Every structure is written in structure tokens, then in C-alpha cells.
């Protein structure tokens, strides 16, 4: 099915002449790093040399696979699949797991719940760590269209895929649990649950490709990471529980210290990426689960079978009404804790941070405003992508009731990382075209000039996000079309003729520089601007999510 073009992005190459192309190399050298070619030097300036070198090794792979991902998307694209994959993507989000995991504890599946917390929280933290470490962009749009119910997801880096890590870790761990010696589930039910878990993982991974959010490299590495985390949990989870819940007070203190150290050494990204926010939230989840379970195991209310700190639950004893009430009240308690603690901390922590800052004890992070630079934090600030506030629950219900109206389809750069990659890719293609065209005889160059004009006519215009029922285009051949093949035999290659005096390289360089600078300004005016983030949010998230899972434990204490 072909989808009509809704949004395009225009490059200065569209008006390029053959003389412009032959002087791209000189132009690139003439442009300063803080001008039109800032996109090429941005990561070299912002990142340490070893991180920049690793990024440069992987970028060609992402660019190479993008047209193939676009062909896959275009081949199977349909409105029904758009709705399906945009909805099911929510089953791999942090919000889903933050609500679903406590239910396992309340229903007596403490071993399963704790194991999933370990693999999921570790996966979210580790993928966020790697994303900010390498700063690799998502596959370019165009040629891909990005389909999502949460546009903020596009603000993150692409490698590796957190959704794929979460989905595979869940599938592998559930499969292990179904085959454990303690499992008393009948064979038929085991087969059904096994099939569902693998279908779930496959659907999430395929959905990330279909929605244009990730490439093959992102999802494959993410899936491998999820499988490794689950295998580690399966092999050493029981030993860790023995260390944690049968040891001294030093056990939880050691775990908490390690987590806080990991938070502190979390890499600084080159762009304003929200990956760190999610990592912080799940670091708080792990702290809350381990500290809460350690204390709960010593209250006398917990069972020691099948694992320490198991929440007592017997459906035959308490009955369905009480079991359902326990879940409903528990979810309400979790949201109430968040609604009370978050605004309170955002109000009372800034003065404390100013005192600490005056003593020179702050550990500032890039893109976080320090307390001395603001007086108060605005009310109703959306500081959390993990667990939505109660006020957003009606809109979430609307999302699922009207998926076609709720999803958004965007074409064009959406984040700073997208913008830098789009600019870098365009300049790279100019340089490559220059290296081949500049050596050709005049008749060959005229043929290339015609090809370039044909390609340029397909270049997308300025991006915009749409929320239309039928998604927009997938310009499959655009990305690969910009890669000019060397179709001319060696015997046609001769030195280029000198340019005419009326159009010197310096003049063309100046004109191209202005066009490239204007292109950069246009792109960055269109990308979604990340919100202002405040230094107190880090501690706020740690306290809120740590307390949330402590409340989850003690809410069920008789």
C-alpha cells in the first residue's frame, strides 16, 4: 500500500548545480565548527575521544540498515497494523511494568515479581546507560515514518532498544520459571503461557521496526542484552536472595551504595536526552524493592516459602472480592504516594540544594538547571515519563478507546540527535558525490547533474508531526538514492576543468555555507524542544520510586 506524502524536508542540495557539487570539499573545509558544519563536530566536541571513536565506528551501520528498515515498513504498512503496534508498544513501556509488577507481589508471586523487577530495572538502567554513553541516533526519518502514541519517546537515543530488552528478558525469565522444578502448572497451561510469552517478545521487537523507532542493530543487541540479564537472574537469583534477606544490615546498604554509585557515574549525553530520567526511576525501584523486602522479611508477617519475604496470599482463604480489592486499593495507594510526595519534594528540596550548592558540594549534571538559577519549579510540570499522574488517566483511556486518533505519525527530525544526524548525513553525501563527480569528464558530470536533480526533487521538506488516522509516507528509496553509485568506468575519469571566473570556489563556498547554515536553523526550529529539567528531580525520583515500592510492601501487612 502506498501512503501519500504529508510531510517533507528540503535540503540545500535541491538547488545545487554541478559546480556547487564539485566544490563541496572546499566548502566543508571553509565552514567553521560553530556554523553550518556544527553537526559534524558536535559529538567530537561534546564527547570524550574514546566515546566519540566508538560512536563513529557504529554510525555507518545505522545508516546502512536504514533503507532496509524503511523497505520493511513500506512493505507491510497498513492502518490496522499502525494501531496494533502503537498500542502493543505500551506493553513494553516502563508505565505498564510499574503498575503490573506490584500485582504479582500482592497475589503471592513474590519470586516471579522480584525476578522480573531485577531483569527489567537492570535492563532499563543499562540500556539508558549505553544510550547516553554512545549517543547513537534512531534511524533517519525520512525515509522512515515514526508511529507512536508517545511523541516524547523520539527524544531518546536509539541504541540499544529498551523495549526489546524488556520484552526478551520477560519472555526468557517466564520460560525459565515455567520449567523450574517448583512449577506446578499443568502442561497445557505451560504451553499456552510459553507461546504467549514468545509471541509477546516477537510482537514488541517487530513493532519497534515497524514503527520506525529502531533499526535491526538496536533490537538485536537489545534482545541479546535482555536474554543475558534473564540468564544471570535465573542462575544467581536464588544466591542473591540468600545474601540479601538472610544476611546482616550490610547487605541492603551495600546494594544501595552500588546503585547510587552507578547513578553518579551514569554518562553525560551530548544532547538533552531523557534516558537518564528513566534510569533514575528504576534505580529507585530496585532500592525500594530490596530495602522493603529486607525489612518485610523481618516483620514476622512474611512467608519464607517459596522465597524469603513472600507476601502471604491464599485465594481460597481470602476469596476473590478481597483479592480484587487488594489490587485496586494497592494501585490507588501507589498513585496517591506519587501525587503527594512529588510536589512536596519539588517544593521543599530547592532551598536545601541551594545551601548545599553554597558549600560547594553539588555534583551538577549537564542539562539540569541548578537550584541557584531558579526560584521555584512551575506547578503541573511533567517531570515523569514512567508513571503518569492521576490527571492523565482519562487521556490514557482515550488512547486505547480511539487508537487511530491517539497515535501520531511523524516524518522528519524530531530530536536534537535526529537533527544533527540529518545534517551530518547530508554533508556526508555531498562529500561523497564530490569525490566521484569532480573526477569525471564534462559529459559524465552532466549525466550526474541530471541524476542529482532527480534525487533532489524527492528530498523531504520541513518536518512536522501529524496525528492523522492514516499515516504518512515511507520514502523508501530516498536514503539509498542519495548514495550516488560509481557507474562510470575508470577510462572516463579525467581531472576536472577549471571553474569559470564568474563563479569561483570561494564564492560558491560562501553561498553553500549560507544555505547549510539556514538548513541547520530550519531543522532546529522544527525539532521538539526538551523541557527544562531541574537538579532536584534526580533526588525526587529516587525518593518517590524508592518509597513507592516500600509502600507496596507494607500496604499488605496485616
Amino acid at each position: 500500500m502506498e501512503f501519500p506524502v504529508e510531510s517533507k524536508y528540503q535540503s540545500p542540495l535541491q538547488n545545487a548545480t554541478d559546480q556547487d557539487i564539485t566544490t563541496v570539499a572546499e566548502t566543508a573545509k571553509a565552514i567553521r565548527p560553530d556554523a553550518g558544519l556544527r553537526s559534524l563536530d558536535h559529538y567530537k566536541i561534546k564527547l570524550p575521544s574514546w566515546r566519540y571513536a566508538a560512536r563513529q565506528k557504529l554510525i555507518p551501520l545505522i545508516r546502512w540498515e536504514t533503507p532496509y528498515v524503511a523497505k520493511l515498513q513500506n512493505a507491510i504498512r497498513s492502518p490496522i497494523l499502525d494501531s496494533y503496534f502503537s498500542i502493543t508498544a505500551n506493553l513494553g513501556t516502563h508505565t505498564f511494568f510499574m503498575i503490573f509488577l506490584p500485582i504479582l507481589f500482592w497475589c503471592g508471586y513474590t519470586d516471579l515479581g522480584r525476578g522480573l523487577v531485577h531483569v527489567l530495572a537492570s535492563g532499563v538502567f543499562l540500556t539508558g546507560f549505553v544510550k547516553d554513553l554512545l549517543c547513537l541516533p534512531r534511524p533517519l526519518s525520512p525515509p522512515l515514518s515514526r508511529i507512536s502514541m508517545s511523541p516524547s519517546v523520539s527524544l531518546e537515543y536509539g541504541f540499544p532498544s529498551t523495549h526489546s530488552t524488556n520484552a526478551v528478558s520477560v519472555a526468557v525469565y517466564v520460560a525459565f520459571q515455567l520449567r523450574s522444578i517448583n512449577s506446578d502448572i499443568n502442561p497445557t497451561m505451560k504451553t499456552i503461557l510459553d507461546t504467549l510469552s514468545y509471541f509477546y517478545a516477537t510482537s514488541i521487537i517487530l513493532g519497534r521496526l515497524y514503527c520506525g523507532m529502531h533499526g535491526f542493530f538496536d533490537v538485536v543487541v537489545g534482545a541479546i542484552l535482555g536474554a543475558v540479564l534473564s540468564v544471570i537472574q535465573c542462575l544467581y537469583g536464588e544466591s542473591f536472595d540468600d545474601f540479601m534477606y538472610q544476611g546482616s544490615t550490610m547487605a541492603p546498604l551495600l546494594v544501595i551504595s552500588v546503585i547510587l554509585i552507578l547513578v553518579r557515574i551514569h554518562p553525560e549525553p551530548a544532547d538533552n536526552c531523557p534516558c537518564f530520567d528513566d534510569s533514575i526511576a528504576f534505580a529507585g525501584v530496585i532500592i525500594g524493592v530490596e530495602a522493603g523486602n529486607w525489612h518485610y522479611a523481618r516483620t514476622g508477617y512474611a512467608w519464607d516459602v517459596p522465597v524469603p519475604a513472600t507476601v502471604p496470599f491464599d485465594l481460597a482463604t481470602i476469596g476473590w472480592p478481597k483479592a480484587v480489592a487488594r489490587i485496586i486499593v494497592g494501585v490507588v495507594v501507589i498513585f496517591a504516594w506519587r501525587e503527594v510526595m512529588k510536589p512536596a519534594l519539588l517544593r521543599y528540596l530547592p532551598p536545601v540544594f541551594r545551601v548545599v550548592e553554597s558549600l560547594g558540594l553539588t555534583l551538577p549534571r549537564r542539562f539540569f538547571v541548578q537550584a541557584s538559577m531558579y526560584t521555584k519549579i512551575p506547578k503541573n510540570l511533567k517531570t515523569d515519563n514512567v508513571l503518569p499522574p492521576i490527571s492523565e488517566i482519562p487521556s490514557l483511556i482515550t488512547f486505547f478507546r480511539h487508537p487511530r486518533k491517539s497515535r501520531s505519525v511523524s516524518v522528519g527530525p524530531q530530536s536534537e540527535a535526529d537533527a544533527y544526524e540529518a545534517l551530518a548525513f547530508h554533508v556526508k553525501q555531498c562529500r561523497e558525490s564530490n569525490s566521484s563527480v569532480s573526477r569525471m569528464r564534462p559529459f559524465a558530470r552532466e549525466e550526474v547533474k541530471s541524476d542529482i536533480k532527480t534525487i533532489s526533487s524527492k528530498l523531504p521538506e520541513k518536518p512536522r508531526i501529524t496525528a492523522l488516522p492514516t499515516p504518512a509516507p515511507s520514502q523508501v528509496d530516498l536514503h539509498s538514492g542519495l548514495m550516488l553509485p560509481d557507474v562510470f568506468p575508470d577510462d572516463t575519469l579525467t581531472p576536472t576543468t577549471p571553474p569559470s571566473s564568474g563563479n569561483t570556489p570561494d564564492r560558491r563556498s560562501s553561498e553553500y555555507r549560507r544555505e547549510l547554515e539556514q538548513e541547520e536553523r530550519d531543522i532546529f526550529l522544527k525539532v521538539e524542544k526538551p523541557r527544562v529539567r531541574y537538579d532536584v528531580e534526580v533526588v525526587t525520583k529516587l525518593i518517590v520510586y524508592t518509597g513507592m515500592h516500600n509502600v507496596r510492601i507494607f500496604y499488605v501487612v496485616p
Side-chain angles (χ1 to χ4, degrees):
M1 177 181 294
E2 293 292 335
F3 290 86
V5 175
E6 292 179 8
S7 176
K8 294 183 177 179
Y9 174 79
Q10 185 172 359
S11 167
L13 282 177
Q14 184 152 347
N15 299 318
T17 66
D18 58 338
Q19 291 179 334
D20 293 330
I21 296 171
T22 61
T23 58
V24 170
E26 292 87 351
T27 301
K29 294 179 181 179
I31 299 176
R32 297 178 181 178
D34 58 348
L37 281 184
R38 186 177 66 180
S39 58
L40 299 181
D41 295 289
H42 172 71
Y43 295 99
K44 187 174 183 179
I45 295 171
K46 295 291 186 181
L47 298 177
S49 58
W50 66 274
R51 288 172 59 187
Y52 176 74
R55 184 181 188 276
Q56 292 302 100
K57 292 287 186 181
L58 296 173
I59 275 288
L61 178 58
I62 295 175
R63 292 173 179 169
W64 172 82
E65 69 176 0
T66 295
Y68 297 100
V69 180
K71 288 179 181 179
L72 172 65
Q73 185 187 61
N74 193 65
I76 62 176
R77 185 90 181 271
S78 72
I80 293 177
L81 289 179
D82 281 10
S83 297
Y84 170 77
F85 283 119
S86 61
I87 291 176
T88 55
N90 292 283
L91 301 179
T93 61
H94 316 330
T95 303
F96 171 75
F97 292 118
M98 291 296 289
I99 297 174
F100 172 73
L101 289 176
I103 296 176
L104 294 176
F105 288 88
W106 297 330
C107 294
Y109 295 100
T110 300
D111 53 341
L112 178 61
R114 199 152 60 208
L116 289 177
V117 166
H118 289 164
V119 297
L120 289 170
S122 300
V124 171
F125 187 90
L126 190 55
T127 54
F129 192 99
V130 176
K131 284 180 179 180
D132 282 350
L133 180 72
L134 298 176
C135 303
L136 290 170
R138 296 179 184 274
L140 271 179
S141 170
L144 286 163
S145 299
R146 291 181 181 165
I147 308 163
S148 175
M149 295 179 70
S150 176
S152 63
V153 174
S154 298
L155 299 178
E156 298 181 3
Y157 294 121
F159 174 81
S161 167
T162 304
H163 275 75
S164 301
T165 301
N166 288 345
V168 172
S169 64
V170 169
V172 172
Y173 188 70
V174 168
F176 174 81
Q177 289 291 98
L178 291 173
R179 290 165 176 77
S180 66
I181 58 175
N182 296 325
S183 176
D184 56 356
I185 302 177
N186 66 72
T188 302
M189 184 56 66
K190 281 186 179 181
T191 302
I192 294 175
L193 294 177
D194 226 13
T195 302
L196 287 176
S197 63
Y198 289 125
F199 176 79
Y200 161 75
T202 303
S203 178
I204 293 294
I205 292 174
L206 181 59
R208 303 320 287 161
L209 297 170
Y210 178 91
C211 292
M213 291 297 180
H214 291 286
F216 301 112
F217 184 51
D218 300 338
V219 299
V220 168
V221 174
I224 293 173
L225 180 60
V228 169
L229 290 174
S230 288
V231 169
I232 292 174
Q233 172 63 29
C234 294
L235 294 177
Y236 302 105
E238 186 175 348
S239 299
F240 178 80
D241 285 348
D242 292 339
F243 163 77
M244 187 71 193
Y245 304 117
Q246 297 180 9
S248 64
T249 310
M250 291 302 298
L253 291 179
L254 178 61
V255 171
I256 293 172
S257 299
V258 170
I259 292 173
L260 293 179
I261 291 173
L262 290 174
V263 168
R264 180 64 194 101
I265 66 174
H266 194 285
E268 293 274 14
D271 309 291
N272 195 350
C273 173
C275 300
F276 181 67
D277 297 359
D278 296 339
S279 296
I280 286 295
F282 274 83
V285 169
I286 297 180
I287 293 175
V289 167
E290 301 305 337
N293 277 308
W294 179 85
H295 191 274
Y296 184 62
R298 285 161 171 72
T299 59
Y301 298 112
W303 291 351
D304 292 328
V305 178
V307 293
T310 295
V311 175
F313 181 85
D314 184 358
L315 184 60
T317 302
I318 67 175
W320 278 102
K322 288 185 178 180
V324 173
R326 173 186 280 192
I327 294 172
I328 294 174
V329 174
V331 172
V332 171
V333 168
I334 285 179
F335 276 94
W337 167 266
R338 180 189 181 279
E339 292 295 311
V340 172
M341 290 302 299
K342 177 186 166 185
L345 291 169
L346 292 178
R347 178 178 180 180
Y348 295 111
L349 280 181
V352 177
F353 270 60
R354 294 187 190 104
V355 173
V356 174
E357 186 178 343
S358 66
L359 299 176
L361 301 177
T362 56
L363 296 172
R365 285 187 63 88
R366 190 185 299 168
F367 306 117
F368 282 81
V369 181
Q370 291 187 292
S372 60
M373 301 177 66
Y374 61 88
T375 55
K376 63 179 181 179
I377 297 177
K379 294 182 179 180
N380 301 321
L381 182 67
K382 184 175 175 58
T383 63
D384 201 338
N385 294 324
V386 178
L387 193 63
I390 294 178
S391 59
E392 293 187 7
I393 292 179
S395 63
L396 291 177
I397 296 175
T398 302
F399 278 177
F400 291 98
R401 291 180 59 189
H402 306 286
R404 287 196 176 189
K405 295 181 180 179
S406 302
R407 70 171 184 261
S408 65
V409 180
S410 60
V411 179
Q414 293 175 262
S415 66
E416 293 178 358
D418 288 341
Y420 283 122
E421 172 60 9
L423 289 168
F425 180 77
H426 289 161
V427 173
K428 173 180 177 293
Q429 299 312 312
C430 288
R431 287 176 171 173
E432 290 186 357
S433 64
N434 173 70
S435 66
S436 59
V437 177
S438 62
R439 299 171 296 156
M440 298 177 183
R441 289 179 179 175
F443 74 89
R445 291 175 55 202
E446 287 299 321
E447 186 174 345
V448 172
K449 174 182 175 182
S450 177
D451 291 342
I452 291 176
K453 287 183 177 180
T454 301
I455 294 169
S456 299
S457 66
K458 301 178 182 179
L459 284 171
E461 295 175 357
K462 298 178 183 178
R464 71 169 182 261
I465 296 177
T466 65
L468 300 178
T470 301
S474 181
Q475 296 177 318
V476 178
D477 296 326
L478 173 62
H479 192 278
S480 56
L482 289 173
M483 303 286 292
L484 296 177
D486 189 4
V487 296
F488 300 95
D490 293 339
D491 59 0
T492 65
L493 302 180
T494 62
T496 57
T497 57
S500 61
S501 58
N503 194 11
T504 65
D506 289 343
R507 180 179 176 183
R508 291 196 301 273
S509 298
S510 177
E511 292 175 354
Y512 185 79
R513 182 190 306 119
R514 287 194 296 270
E515 290 180 343
L516 201 54
E517 289 174 352
Q518 183 60 47
E519 178 188 22
E520 183 171 344
R521 285 192 293 269
D522 290 343
I523 288 180
F524 280 92
L525 284 175
K526 296 297 181 180
V527 300
E528 184 175 347
K529 301 297 187 298
R531 66 172 182 82
V532 176
R533 294 189 287 173
Y534 301 90
D535 52 359
V536 296
E537 291 183 41
V538 176
V539 175
T540 298
K541 277 189 170 65
L542 282 173
I543 294 176
V544 168
Y545 284 94
T546 298
M548 187 181 297
H549 284 269
N550 269 289
V551 169
R552 182 267 306 166
I553 291 293
F554 290 102
Y555 146 72
V556 296
V557 174

